[in-house]
């Protein structure tokens, strides 16, 4: 779930070497499985699950990094980078950096999410976003005060206090919870997150399996759609189970026009990943359009960018 809303997220440190190494996703050895099982005794996960199943659910928390290239139609805009460092404390810090530009437009973002793992679920602690580029620069900071039952958030220098709710996430770490829930076959895939002084609700459906070929390689994926009441805007994710459900591609369509397309360029996991259990397929909504492949083809065949499309990119940059 590359940032849920298809904003222009991208880039990272040039000195960080990332390689798409298939050996990094090798199967766990017996001794490694035993170590994971010992760690899992410290958290509350269903006792009916085997150690391998439990490890699969927690695999998105394996220390890793991933780089993505961002396109608007055939135009490459820039890149985005994610980084989840290793931790021994149960306190996690997830990072996102992006840098995209087109003509005179630019957008740079730096996001940090701090959270803990409690009873097998992620609990947000603090979220920071810094945005610079075309339009107004701004910061967004959110503190999740669970003990005081409040969420304190500041967006564009305007503060607001919200009531604390269980299962409310920030826009960055929710991606990890989403991947964990895919691994656990949890339904519904319904998430609330604090964004721009509001609590937004997003729903997702696993609509099928697909083999995806992009520049970085060929991946076996599950295809996920963002559930919306209208088909004027459509967003699809392709997640790779063998990579702890790391997103491989995201495509966004607006009124069937040229899409924002984000593709995995490289990745690295610091530890081997366990095998995943078969994913549950929800299937498309009965009333949903099945013409997404036609939309992709039409979008890729469009060579230019109209003035209205430039306006749309500007809006994406400042939202």
């Amino acid at each position: 779930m590359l940032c849920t809303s298809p904003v222009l997220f991208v880039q990272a440190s040039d000195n960080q070497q990332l390689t798409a190494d298939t050996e990094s996703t090798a199967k766990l050895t017996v001794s490694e499985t035993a170590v994971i099982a010992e760690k899992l005794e410290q958290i509350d996960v269903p006792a009916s699950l085997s150690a391998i199943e439990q490890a699969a659910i927690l695999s998105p928390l394996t220390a890793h990094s991933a780089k993505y290239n961002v396109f608007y139609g055939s135009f490459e805009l820039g890149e985005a980078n994610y980084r989840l460092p290793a931790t021994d404390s149960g306190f996690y810090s997830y990072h996102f950096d992006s840098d995209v530009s087109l003509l005179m437009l630019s957008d740079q973002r730096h996001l940090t999410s701090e959270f803990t793992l409690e009873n097998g679920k992620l609990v947000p602690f603090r979220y920071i976003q810094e945005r610079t580029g075309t339009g107004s620069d701004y910061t967004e900071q959110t503190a999740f005060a669970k003990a005081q039952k409040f969420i304190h958030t500041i967006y564009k220098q305007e503060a607001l206090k919200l009531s604390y709710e269980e299962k409310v996430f920030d826009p960055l770490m929710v991606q990890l919870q989403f991947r964990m829930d895919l691994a656990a076959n949890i339904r519904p895939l319904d998430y609330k997150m604090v964004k721009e002084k509001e609590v937004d609700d997003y729903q997702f459906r696993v609509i099928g399996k697909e083999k995806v070929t992009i520049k970085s390689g060929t991946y076996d994926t599950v295809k996920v759609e963002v559930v919306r009441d209208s088909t004027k805007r459509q967003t699809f994710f392709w997640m790779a189970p063998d990579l702890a459900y790391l997103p491989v591609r995201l495509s966004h369509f607006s009124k069937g026009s040229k899409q924002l397309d984000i593709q995995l360029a490289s990745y690295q996991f610091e530890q081997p990943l366990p095998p995943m259990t078969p994913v549950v397929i929800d299937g498309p909504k009965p009333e949903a359009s099945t013409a997404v492949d036609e939309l992709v083809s039409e979008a890729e065949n469009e060579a230019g960018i109209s003035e209205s499309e430039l306006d749309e990119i500007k809006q994406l940059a400042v939202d």
Side-chain angles (χ1 to χ4, degrees), residues 239-268:
M239 324 281 287
D242 290 342
L243 302 181
Y245 286 97
L246 188 72
V248 168
R249 188 174 189 178
L250 175 150
S251 290
H252 174 71
F253 303 88
S254 179
K255 299 179 182 178
S257 66
K258 187 176 299 176
Q259 85 278 21
L260 181 67
D261 193 29
I262 302 168
Q263 301 180 13
L264 179 65
S266 57
Y267 64 88
Q268 185 176 49

Side-chain angles (χ1 to χ4, degrees), residues 10 24 79 83 85 111 118 131 156 162 190 195 198 209 214 245 268 298:
V10 247
S24 67
E79 65 180 40
R83 181 170 56 90
L111 282 64
E118 298 178 14
R131 187 269 171 192
K156 294 183 177 180
L162 302 169
D190 190 351
K195 179 183 175 185
E198 295 182 353
K209 296 181 180 180
I214 53 179
Y245 286 97
Q268 185 176 49
E298 291 175 4

Side-chain angles (χ1 to χ4, degrees), residues 142-143 145 148-154 158-164 194 197-199:
T142 303
Q148 291 75 32
K149 300 187 182 300
F150 283 107
I151 299 174
H152 303 268
T153 184
I154 302 173
E158 294 184 5
L160 184 67
K161 181 184 288 188
L162 302 169
S163 296
Y164 186 90
V194 179
K197 298 194 304 177
E198 295 182 353
V199 178

Side-chain angles (χ1 to χ4, degrees), residues 284-299:
K285 293 177 65 178
E287 68 275 16
S289 169
T290 58
V292 64
D293 291 335
E294 295 179 9
L295 291 175
V296 173
S297 178
E298 291 175 4

Side-chain angles (χ1 to χ4, degrees), residues 211-230:
K211 189 178 291 290
V212 173
T213 299
I214 53 179
K215 187 175 180 180
S216 62
T218 298
Y219 306 89
D220 292 320
T221 72
V222 294
K223 184 177 179 181
V224 180
E225 68 172 341
V226 179
V227 178
R228 293 190 174 98
D229 294 333
S230 171

Side-chain angles (χ1 to χ4, degrees), residues 11-302:
Q11 194 209 322
S13 56
D14 294 333
N15 60 356
Q16 184 178 17
Q17 297 298 318
L18 304 176
T19 57
D21 183 1
T22 55
E23 293 183 359
S24 67
T25 59
K27 306 305 181 186
L28 292 173
T29 65
V30 174
S31 60
E32 288 169 334
T33 301
V35 171
I36 291 174
E38 182 178 349
K39 290 183 178 180
L40 287 170
E41 291 178 356
Q42 303 173 17
I43 63 175
D44 183 13
V45 294
S48 60
L49 297 178
S50 68
I52 290 295
E53 289 172 326
Q54 294 171 2
I57 294 172
L58 296 178
S59 62
L61 299 181
T62 303
H64 65 280
S65 54
K67 180 171 74 174
Y68 293 84
N69 293 327
V70 179
F71 301 88
Y72 189 78
S74 59
F75 293 85
E76 184 169 356
L77 302 182
E79 65 180 40
N81 287 260
Y82 290 87
R83 181 170 56 90
L84 180 66
T87 179
D88 294 326
S89 65
F91 185 84
Y92 294 84
S93 183
Y94 194 31
H95 304 274
F96 169 85
D97 298 281
S98 70
D99 189 355
V100 296
S101 61
L102 177 64
L103 302 178
M104 301 300 292
L105 305 175
S106 65
D107 184 277
Q108 298 84 37
R109 302 192 187 215
H110 306 281
L111 282 64
T112 298
S113 173
E114 298 174 346
F115 57 94
T116 57
L117 176 65
E118 298 178 14
N119 299 325
K121 296 293 183 180
L122 304 186
V123 178
F125 175 68
R126 181 168 54 188
Y127 169 77
I128 301 172
Q129 175 184 188
E130 297 177 350
R131 187 269 171 192
T132 58
T134 303
S136 301
D137 298 343
Y138 66 83
T139 61
E140 181 176 8
Q141 301 181 52
T142 303
F144 296 81
K146 183 178 180 180
Q148 291 75 32
K149 300 187 182 300
F150 283 107
I151 299 174
H152 303 268
T153 184
I154 302 173
Y155 175 64
K156 294 183 177 180
Q157 299 183 334
E158 294 184 5
L160 184 67
K161 181 184 288 188
L162 302 169
S163 296
Y164 186 90
E165 298 180 49
E166 297 290 341
K167 298 182 180 179
V168 174
F169 305 94
D170 70 50
L172 186 57
M173 57 85 76
V174 69
Q175 301 173 32
L176 296 171
Q177 185 65 64
F178 177 70
R179 291 166 60 187
M180 291 171 61
D181 290 347
L182 283 175
N185 278 321
I186 289 176
R187 297 296 187 277
L189 296 168
D190 190 351
Y191 304 88
K192 293 181 179 180
M193 66 191 76
V194 179
K195 179 183 175 185
E196 300 174 3
K197 298 194 304 177
E198 295 182 353
V199 178
D200 292 336
D201 194 351
Y202 291 86
Q203 295 180 324
F204 304 87
R205 291 177 63 88
V206 178
I207 59 178
K209 296 181 180 180
E210 285 190 12
K211 189 178 291 290
V212 173
T213 299
I214 53 179
K215 187 175 180 180
S216 62
T218 298
Y219 306 89
D220 292 320
T221 72
V222 294
K223 184 177 179 181
V224 180
E225 68 172 341
V226 179
V227 178
R228 293 190 174 98
D229 294 333
S230 171
T231 58
K232 291 182 179 180
R233 294 170 60 236
Q234 294 177 298
T235 306
F236 299 90
F237 302 88
W238 287 263
M239 324 281 287
D242 290 342
L243 302 181
Y245 286 97
L246 188 72
V248 168
R249 188 174 189 178
L250 175 150
S251 290
H252 174 71
F253 303 88
S254 179
K255 299 179 182 178
S257 66
K258 187 176 299 176
Q259 85 278 21
L260 181 67
D261 193 29
I262 302 168
Q263 301 180 13
L264 179 65
S266 57
Y267 64 88
Q268 185 176 49
F269 287 90
E270 293 187 12
Q271 299 293 333
L273 297 175
M276 294 292 160
T277 56
V279 67
V280 171
I281 303 299
D282 303 318
K285 293 177 65 178
E287 68 275 16
S289 169
T290 58
V292 64
D293 291 335
E294 295 179 9
L295 291 175
V296 173
S297 178
E298 291 175 4
E300 290 179 345
N301 287 334
E302 295 181 23

